[in-house]
Amino acid sequence: MRFGKTLRKSVYEPWQDKYIDYAKLKSLLREDKPDEDDEPWTEDDENRFCDEILNVQLEKVAQFQAEKIEDLRRHVDGAFEKLREFPAADEGRPRTDADTQQLKDLEAELDTITNEVKELQKYSNLNYTGFLKIVKKHDRKRGDRYKIRPMMMLSLSKRPFNSEQAYSPLLNKLSLMYFAIQQHLEESGAADAYPVDPDSQPETHNGEKYTAHKFWVHQDNLLEVKTYILRRLPALVYSEQSAKEVDGQQDPTITSLYFDNSSFDLYSKKVEREMEASSLRLRWYGQLSARPEIFLEQKILHENGSSEEHKFAVKEKYIKLFLDGDYGMEKSAQKMERQGQKPEDVNEFRSTAAAIQKFARENRLEPVVRANYRRSAFQKPGDDRVRISIDTDIAFIREDTLDPDRPCRDPKEWHRLDIDNSNMTYPFNNINQSEVSRFPYAVLEIKLKEDVNRGKRPSWIQDLMGSHLVHPCPRFSKFVHGTASLFEDYVNRLPFWLSNLDTDIRKDPQVAFEEEESRRAQRAENEQVVGSLLGTKLGSYKPSRSSPVAKSYLADRLAAEQTPKSPSSRPPAGDEAGEPSSSSGGGGARGALSPEPQPTDGGAERSTLNYGTLSSVFPGFSLSRYSRAKQAREARQRQQQQQESAAPLPLPPGVTEPTEWLKNAGPLQIEPKVWLANERTFLKWQHICVLLGGLAVSLYSAGGGSGNVLAQAMGAVFVGVAVSAGAWSYWVVVTRRDMIVQRSGKDFDFLAGPLVVSAALGVALVVNFVFAYRKAFGYDGQDESWGVGSNGTMVGEMGELRI
């Protein structure tokens, strides 16, 4: 079915004018006028199309979606306020018929809101698919010079109208309110119910219930995520029997072969989240040539949002016969009976095989997509409460026979022989690259058992899920992504996460931390309201010290407590610092922990919701009590740390205290070039000393023979410099020799000696020049008496100067 027809059939009548005008965009592309194909596509045509799709259609859809989200948020907050005003469970008052009717009316209101949320999700998905479809038509038909698909993908990624994050807060509140109402109405199964996290997906494996959380991991953060997990959970090593890998030296490769029909009905139901939607796949570890154990698995999505998986092992030679209906797994059932297995297990195997075979035959299913990836698993041995897997090197390959002239797979076979017979591995460069789609990120999946998910999750799990290292993608499916990326022309619905593939999913650590703290605070506030209504405690939240939530809470609380109180609102004696009065009884504690003073007229003032601050999460929290207890606890911790640091740590049995550093242990080994470099430096210094000494002796000898006192003085100075340089060089060579022997990590440079010697030589040369200059020109500092001779000459003590 063409997308235009699908769009017309799926339009929600009250919003029919708010959808993308797909027909108008096709007319701008001249899609419906093949006779004009020869007419050139001009710059004006391109501008008209881009202006219409980016500035008109996209803005129209995005604005409408934002308005509806805000409208739904107001309705949800209104219903939440009604539930908040409902009498709490601990007031000792039995429920009346009026209370029951009020709850039923509120539940009906929630049903209306929920249905509108579903319609808005369908609206967003349809328009999202329409934008991607029309820009693909543009790039294929008019994209010789202009390709706008990258621009559209970037625009879609910046707008939240097809993102799960836009609906998660609404679904979270709706889930909590449904939970509270069902508990009060005592509907079937409500006693065991628990509010569902919209960012997770319930699953059932071997009768055990799990909650799955899925994330994308950028390649730059992959190693950090793995090492973070390895500190808490050991890696699950796959043996040769299970994974067919050599000694488990590397993570095994997993191949999943997904089934669908030529209309892609299973894909469409899964994307549209229809109830009882199913998927079918074949899965094996390693290469098919190694004869691995192959599983045929069916996953069913139930009405309550949870999923259930049925699977059984099948031999390779029976797969084609089973899919064609010529074999019913009877031999395997007989083998189970011969092995003495329980009759109920054998009957369950027969019923599972028959149901899956019927499902495949009725829907005319055949392999269409292969997913190949390498998996790292983490789990404690014998403890399946927390299971984590990381899939890398993910590649999707076509396995269909939609084109009878050029089928990707031999219709007579159930898998591609060109891949499996040649043991082809990632990145699959030896096949047609148009049949391969490589996923750019790793996929992290965290599965928590139901008792762990109900109770307090491990803090390290919570920190990892809210960190900057991962990008949440709650509804990600390999089957859906592989089909959407390889068969975009055959399907009319696309998953919301496609636009994120062209963006950078890495986040700033501080920004990610602040966003997660705000989300947790908001969820804790909602749970507190529901818990107070039921008289139970659904969850707890404690912000980190550096959390912006904690900062805003402390600032607001300090400002509130510093406000002057009226005498009538002050606590009585003995009730200072938030402590309850001894005479107040049970009600005194409640009054002392009140976030703000009660009005004197007895009226109740309802504070407005302050989302993201802890004061709204725990309105009965006292800062003064909290501060005093926290300070005392921190003082005890500091005192304990000081005592522990002062006392020597006891050594384990059999361990002796070391007498030398680890770097000094073992035999001394010195490279000859290091030792000789030190000796060579010493010889260079001695060479300088000999030159200076020779110069000094020469000056002194020449000055003594001619009676030149200046020359003798400079010779003595140079002798002193030469002796100083020799002594310095000897000290340096000895010191460096000791440092080498002691394996010292200090710097070997000694800058003082060369600077002193150079400065002494410079001063000596300057002084020598000054005295020689004054001697040569007669400025030696002596007084001269001059006179005029009879012949006009100047006569002085040094002789006659003729002019």
Side-chain angles (χ1 to χ4, degrees):
M1 184 184 300
R2 300 178 67 85
F3 177 75
K5 188 176 181 181
T6 302
L7 180 61
R8 289 192 297 271
K9 287 186 175 182
S10 305
V11 165
Y12 185 50
E13 289 299 328
W15 305 341
Q16 59 180 350
D17 296 334
K18 304 300 182 180
Y19 285 81
I20 179 178
D21 195 343
Y22 196 74
K24 182 177 181 180
L25 293 174
K26 287 180 63 177
S27 65
L28 290 176
L29 285 177
R30 304 170 190 165
E31 185 76 14
D32 299 331
K33 298 179 181 180
D35 295 335
E36 297 182 6
D37 282 348
D38 295 333
E39 185 176 343
W41 182 258
T42 64
E43 188 83 19
D44 294 337
D45 296 331
E46 184 69 23
N47 291 336
R48 279 194 297 270
F49 179 81
C50 291
D51 181 70
E52 179 67 26
I53 191 173
L54 295 175
N55 299 331
V56 178
Q57 300 295 331
L58 183 58
E59 288 296 329
K60 177 183 69 175
V61 173
Q63 183 178 358
F64 177 76
Q65 193 269 350
E67 292 174 354
K68 291 302 298 182
I69 283 286
E70 188 62 30
D71 183 60
L72 289 172
R73 186 177 289 112
R74 287 194 298 268
H75 283 79
V76 171
D77 289 342
F80 201 76
E81 282 300 314
K82 294 180 183 178
L83 189 62
R84 186 192 290 269
E85 296 171 357
F86 201 77
D90 57 354
E91 293 185 0
R93 184 176 66 88
R95 300 296 183 199
T96 63
D97 294 340
D99 294 337
T100 303
Q101 185 61 39
Q102 183 180 355
L103 288 175
K104 289 183 178 180
D105 294 342
L106 184 58
E107 186 179 25
E109 182 180 350
L110 295 183
D111 291 339
T112 303
I113 297 174
T114 303
N115 292 333
E116 194 159 357
V117 171
K118 292 180 180 179
E119 291 297 335
L120 186 59
Q121 285 182 321
K122 293 180 181 179
Y123 168 86
S124 301
N125 183 265
L126 267 175
N127 287 280
Y128 175 83
T129 305
F131 284 120
L132 293 184
K133 288 277 188 181
I134 198 66
V135 296
K136 185 175 182 179
K137 287 180 178 292
H138 169 275
D139 291 354
R140 183 171 53 197
K141 189 171 184 178
R142 308 296 182 186
D144 296 337
R145 291 181 297 169
Y146 313 99
K147 293 189 181 297
I148 63 173
R149 182 182 175 90
M151 184 188 305
M152 176 58 69
M153 296 289 282
L154 183 61
S155 300
L156 291 175
S157 65
K158 292 182 178 180
R159 300 174 184 270
F161 73 83
N162 198 46
S163 171
E164 285 287 327
Q165 301 301 323
Y167 303 98
S168 292
L170 296 176
L171 297 178
N172 185 24
K173 269 193 174 181
L174 289 172
S175 175
L176 288 170
M177 288 189 286
Y178 271 121
F179 171 70
I181 293 174
Q182 290 170 1
Q183 287 286 333
H184 280 294
L185 295 179
E186 296 181 352
E187 294 182 353
S188 60
D192 297 331
Y194 194 77
V196 179
D197 186 356
D199 293 336
S200 63
Q201 182 176 354
E203 296 182 357
T204 302
H205 298 279
N206 299 326
E208 300 287 348
K209 295 183 178 180
Y210 291 86
T211 302
H213 305 263
K214 296 182 181 180
F215 305 88
W216 292 352
V217 182
H218 195 277
Q219 294 298 327
D220 295 348
N221 300 330
L222 182 58
L223 182 59
E224 187 173 355
V225 171
K226 284 188 175 181
T227 54
Y228 180 85
I229 297 173
L230 281 172
R231 294 190 184 101
R232 282 87 181 175
L233 290 180
L236 183 61
V237 179
Y238 291 83
S239 63
E240 185 178 359
Q241 290 77 14
S242 63
K244 304 300 181 183
E245 296 285 345
V246 181
D247 299 331
Q249 293 178 357
Q250 57 181 350
D251 298 327
T253 57
I254 301 179
T255 301
S256 296
L257 212 59
Y258 293 98
F259 288 72
D260 210 334
N261 52 33
S262 58
S263 301
F264 293 95
D265 292 334
L266 300 188
Y267 167 85
S268 300
K269 292 179 180 179
K270 197 170 182 67
V271 172
E272 297 173 7
R273 301 181 188 176
E274 295 185 7
M275 297 306 170
E276 305 302 325
S278 298
S279 60
L280 187 65
R281 70 176 180 181
L282 285 166
R283 179 174 59 87
W284 66 87
Y285 291 89
Q287 295 293 340
L288 196 60
S289 59
R291 304 294 180 185
E293 191 174 18
I294 304 175
F295 293 92
L296 185 59
E297 302 173 346
Q298 182 186 16
K299 199 170 187 179
I300 304 174
L301 182 64
H302 295 299
E303 186 175 358
N304 59 359
S306 62
S307 63
E308 186 178 2
E309 190 176 72
H310 301 283
K311 66 178 180 179
F312 62 89
V314 57
K315 292 184 178 180
E316 180 183 352
K317 60 181 179 181
Y318 294 135
I319 293 179
K320 183 63 175 176
L321 297 175
F322 179 82
L323 295 176
D324 293 340
D326 299 331
Y327 176 71
M329 302 301 297
E330 191 61 31
K331 292 184 179 180
S332 299
Q334 294 174 1
K335 183 178 179 181
M336 294 174 64
E337 292 176 345
R338 291 194 302 269
Q339 292 176 348
Q341 297 192 23
K342 297 179 181 180
E344 51 268 22
D345 294 340
V346 178
N347 293 334
E348 183 180 0
F349 173 82
R350 284 196 173 102
S351 61
T352 300
I356 292 179
Q357 187 177 50
K358 180 181 178 181
F359 173 73
R361 297 286 296 167
E362 288 179 352
N363 292 277
R364 304 185 304 277
L365 301 180
E366 60 181 13
V368 292
V369 176
R370 173 191 297 240
N372 185 275
Y373 47 93
R374 190 173 296 277
R375 169 162 292 181
S376 303
F378 306 90
Q379 179 183 332
K380 289 182 180 179
D383 186 359
D384 59 350
R385 292 179 299 174
V386 179
R387 300 164 56 186
I388 299 179
S389 64
I390 300 179
D391 298 336
T392 56
D393 297 343
I394 305 176
F396 302 98
I397 306 172
R398 291 183 59 166
E399 291 267 346
D400 63 283
T401 57
L402 297 177
D403 187 355
D405 298 328
R406 300 182 59 184
C408 299
R409 167 182 53 85
D410 187 352
K412 298 180 181 179
E413 300 291 340
W414 62 271
H415 65 105
R416 291 186 61 160
L417 300 179
D418 57 338
I419 296 177
D420 295 323
N421 290 349
S422 60
N423 294 333
M424 198 179 303
T425 58
Y426 187 88
F428 300 96
N429 293 325
N430 295 333
I431 62 176
N432 189 347
Q433 293 304 293
S434 63
E435 301 173 359
V436 183
S437 174
R438 299 173 185 86
F439 192 68
Y441 307 122
V443 176
L444 168 67
E445 184 173 11
I446 301 176
K447 292 184 178 180
L448 303 176
K449 213 169 186 178
E450 190 177 40
D451 55 350
V452 177
N453 193 58
R454 278 194 175 189
K456 183 179 180 181
R457 294 174 182 170
S459 58
W460 68 272
I461 290 284
Q462 198 73 28
D463 293 341
L464 177 61
M465 292 169 59
S467 70
H468 68 286
L469 300 175
V470 297
H471 177 77
C473 194
R475 303 292 177 178
F476 179 76
S477 167
K478 295 185 180 69
F479 167 55
V480 171
H481 183 83
T483 305
S485 58
L486 294 173
F487 300 95
E488 187 174 344
D489 293 335
Y490 294 86
V491 297
N492 293 324
R493 295 291 179 90
L494 298 176
F496 65 88
W497 60 76
L498 282 184
S499 59
N500 292 335
L501 294 179
D502 294 335
T503 61
D504 191 354
I505 64 172
R506 291 171 293 185
K507 295 177 286 187
D508 180 79
Q510 183 63 26
V511 173
F513 173 73
E514 293 176 358
E515 292 176 352
E516 177 63 17
E517 287 290 311
S518 299
R519 284 194 297 266
R520 291 173 60 187
Q522 177 64 62
R523 182 173 177 84
E525 177 191 359
N526 300 337
E527 291 180 347
Q528 187 204 18
V529 173
V530 176
S532 64
L533 177 65
L534 299 177
T536 59
K537 183 179 180 181
L538 291 182
S540 60
Y541 167 66
K542 180 179 180 181
S544 303
R545 183 178 300 177
S546 59
S547 168
V549 179
K551 293 176 182 177
S552 60
Y553 158 68
L554 294 175
D556 296 343
R557 178 62 62 192
L558 285 172
E561 291 196 353
Q562 290 173 359
T563 303
K565 299 182 180 180
S566 61
S568 60
S569 64
R570 289 178 181 174
D575 197 21
E576 296 178 0
E579 291 292 331
S581 173
S582 59
S583 63
S584 60
R590 182 183 297 272
L593 295 178
S594 176
E596 50 189 44
Q598 299 294 330
T600 56
D601 58 355
E605 293 183 357
R606 179 170 302 277
S607 61
T608 59
L609 289 178
N610 186 16
Y611 291 121
T613 62
L614 195 58
S615 56
S616 64
V617 180
F618 298 108
F621 204 69
S622 172
L623 178 66
S624 55
R625 172 182 293 180
Y626 166 76
S627 300
R628 189 169 61 257
K630 180 180 179 182
Q631 292 172 1
R633 183 171 60 254
E634 291 181 349
R636 289 194 301 268
Q637 292 177 353
R638 286 195 300 268
Q639 184 179 2
Q640 184 179 0
Q641 291 175 357
Q642 291 175 358
Q643 293 176 355
E644 292 177 353
S645 60
L649 295 176
L651 296 176
V655 179
T656 59
E657 185 177 358
T659 57
E660 59 180 351
W661 293 100
L662 182 62
K663 66 182 182 63
N664 297 335
L668 178 63
Q669 296 180 353
I670 302 175
E671 293 187 13
K673 63 179 182 180
V674 177
W675 192 270
L676 295 177
N678 188 33
E679 298 293 341
R680 185 166 56 252
T681 305
F682 174 70
L683 294 177
K684 287 289 186 181
W685 274 99
Q686 295 303 311
H687 180 65
I688 294 175
C689 293
V690 171
L691 291 179
L692 288 177
L695 176 61
V697 172
S698 301
L699 284 174
Y700 190 83
S701 301
S706 60
N708 192 340
V709 179
L710 177 61
Q712 290 180 338
M714 295 309 301
V717 171
F718 283 121
V719 169
V721 174
V723 172
S724 300
W728 167 262
S729 63
Y730 179 77
W731 178 82
V732 168
V733 72
V734 172
T735 303
R736 287 178 175 170
R737 183 183 301 160
D738 294 339
M739 293 173 64
I740 293 173
V741 172
Q742 296 173 4
R743 305 172 185 177
S744 174
K746 298 180 180 179
D747 197 351
F748 279 71
D749 292 336
F750 296 96
L751 302 179
L755 292 177
V756 171
V757 172
S758 301
L761 287 176
V763 171
L765 291 175
V766 170
V767 171
N768 185 25
F769 174 78
V770 170
F771 279 101
Y773 180 84
R774 293 175 63 86
K775 187 67 175 177
F777 290 94
Y779 301 108
D780 55 357
Q782 300 178 2
D783 295 333
E784 299 286 348
S785 58
W786 298 87
V788 182
S790 58
N791 55 355
T793 61
M794 298 294 295
V795 180
E797 293 183 359
M798 295 185 62
E800 181 182 57
L801 178 63
R802 295 183 181 271
I803 300 178

